[in-house]
Amino acid sequence: MTHRPEPVLAGRVRPLRDRDHERVLREALAVRRAGDIPLIGDERWSEDQWRGVVEHATGAIVPDEAEWAALTSGSTGRPRIILRTQQSWDMSYPFLDEWGGLTPADTMLIAAHPVSSMASYAASHAAHSGFPFNTPVKHRMGPGDIASATILHGTPWHLRDLLDLLDAGHPSPMRVAFVGGDRLPQQLRHRAEHRGIRVLGYFGAAELSMVAIDDGDGLRAFPGVDLQTRDGVLWARTDQRALAVLGTGGAYRVRGAWATVGDRADIADGRLSLRGRSDDAIQTAGATVLPNDIEEVLASVHGVHAATVIGVPDERAGQLVAAALETDGGDTTQVLERVKSIARAQLTHD
């Protein structure tokens, strides 16, 4: 690929994107070391789309303390830019190192796309703690990607891909997995533990970083983070909070030392139960449906890699509940039959 220079925006902020995900993450670290702020885009975006993101930040007032930038979508679909300090991430790494027993002899496989703040956070972790990292060579991880990696940082989907490769007989010294981005199905955790892989699931947000962790006993507040619910919405008090958000949209709100991204939640006996986002509930025939609850059930079906549940306008019911499924490429008819069976058994019909 021809590597083209990107425009400079808002003074120290440097836009980056590349099909080579490892290279773009290493460039981001180099930009940080030079005292500038990396902002990673998606190489799959059109030139117009990327330029729109860049222009969105042109002329923005960037706090002097800002050292990282990340993109996140708002309710309008236009990406917002999250600005944060290095320290706001660094404070969480000693816990991860101790929990996983990480050393410079480890190698991390960063499976998330670089446009995700998860990937920047993971690359920064590697640089902070002194172990190497790599990324999948292709869009989906393959046998060569896991051959020498001992740590995985990704989503439940990436953990499932890893376990499928191991089940197919491809060797790997993988022993620790940090899994965020979505609820972690217990079945997937058990598969990993059966393979001797310790799993730390976590819940976080680009604006708040690490909020809660689950090492097998349910979600609890990350060390140093205070949690409370207000009218059923989760609020966090944390020094990991972002400095500023450029752009509008989204559910991020700040009140004094507390902030929220709009997640519904319950807290009982110190354990956190997530109930979906306050801005994505589906109202259907007088009932409120939380997409995350249905997505968790559908994603547990064998042959389903990912599930997205949305509300589709309907004249009689207001909205109908619809699901888009990404399968593993097997017999689609069989997968759909399993989905219907699980849905009938585990989802209410009211």
Side-chain angles (χ1 to χ4, degrees):
M1 171 185 179
T2 301
H3 190 62
R4 59 188 181 279
E6 299 288 0
V8 176
L9 62 131
R12 293 187 297 125
V13 181
R14 308 295 179 198
L16 303 168
R17 60 179 183 154
D18 201 308
R19 290 195 183 100
D20 186 330
H21 293 174
E22 183 174 333
R23 178 165 66 180
V24 79
L25 288 174
R26 296 194 187 285
E27 287 185 354
L29 293 173
V31 167
R32 268 288 304 114
R33 288 193 297 270
D36 289 332
I37 306 169
L39 176 66
I40 300 176
D42 193 326
E43 79 282 357
R44 297 166 295 188
W45 292 341
S46 69
E47 292 294 333
D48 288 343
Q49 185 177 3
W50 180 224
R51 186 161 296 280
V53 172
V54 172
E55 291 175 353
H56 174 51
T58 299
I61 299 175
V62 176
D64 290 341
E65 314 96 295
E67 295 169 296
W68 282 99
L71 293 169
T72 186
S73 294
S75 59
T76 63
R78 170 181 286 185
R80 292 171 295 128
I81 299 176
I82 311 301
L83 299 171
R84 64 170 53 254
T85 66
Q86 181 69 59
Q87 177 60 20
S88 68
W89 276 350
D90 287 352
M91 63 180 62
S92 63
Y93 297 145
F95 172 84
L96 301 183
D97 292 346
E98 181 178 359
W99 184 90
L102 308 188
T103 74
D106 282 301
T107 298
M108 176 180 283
L109 176 63
I110 302 175
H113 191 286
V115 76
S116 165
S117 62
M118 177 188 291
S120 296
Y121 174 86
S124 173
H125 181 193
H128 176 274
S129 300
F131 52 78
F133 72 85
N134 52 45
T135 65
V137 174
K138 297 181 178 180
H139 176 63
R140 293 280 293 275
M141 72 175 68
D145 299 319
I146 67 172
S148 61
T150 58
I151 313 164
L152 173 72
H153 198 134
T155 66
W157 183 2
H158 299 125
L159 179 59
R160 182 181 289 112
D161 279 352
L162 165 66
L163 295 173
D164 287 347
L165 288 169
L166 294 175
D167 289 347
H170 301 292
S172 173
M174 198 74 70
R175 61 180 188 84
V176 172
F178 299 119
V179 182
D182 203 350
R183 295 190 215 181
L184 176 64
Q186 282 297 108
Q187 178 187 15
L188 202 56
R189 177 186 290 278
H190 294 156
R191 282 183 65 193
E193 292 173 345
H194 180 72
R195 285 282 182 180
I197 300 172
R198 292 189 68 195
V199 178
L200 185 72
Y202 69 85
F203 160 68
E207 300 90 340
L208 302 174
S209 194
M210 289 282 191
V211 173
I213 52 173
D214 179 5
D215 63 358
D217 191 32
L219 275 174
R220 297 178 182 273
F222 192 84
V225 177
D226 297 318
L227 300 177
Q228 64 177 227
T229 57
R230 303 176 187 177
D231 297 324
V233 175
L234 181 68
W235 289 77
R237 182 170 60 189
T238 172
D239 291 336
Q240 300 175 67
R241 199 175 83 192
L243 278 172
V245 177
L246 308 181
T248 60
Y252 181 59
R253 289 177 288 159
V254 177
R255 293 180 184 171
W258 295 82
T260 182
V261 291
D263 291 281
R264 288 192 181 93
D266 299 319
I267 302 175
D269 298 324
R271 290 183 176 84
L272 175 67
S273 298
L274 298 171
R275 304 298 182 193
R277 293 293 291 265
S278 59
D279 54 359
D280 69 356
I282 299 170
Q283 302 294 327
T284 177
T288 300
V289 176
L290 300 180
N292 278 11
D293 291 342
I294 301 176
E295 288 166 359
E296 185 175 12
V297 172
L298 299 181
S300 70
V301 177
H302 178 67
V304 175
H305 268 305
T308 299
V309 172
I310 61 173
V312 177
D314 179 78
E315 187 173 345
R316 286 202 310 159
Q319 286 181 299
L320 297 178
V321 180
L325 306 178
E326 182 164 353
T327 68
D328 61 5
D331 188 323
T332 303
T333 300
Q334 291 185 9
V335 172
L336 289 177
E337 287 302 316
R338 287 195 292 268
V339 167
K340 292 177 183 177
S341 177
I342 294 294
R344 282 193 293 265
Q346 298 189 27
L347 301 177
T348 60
H349 304 284
D350 297 334

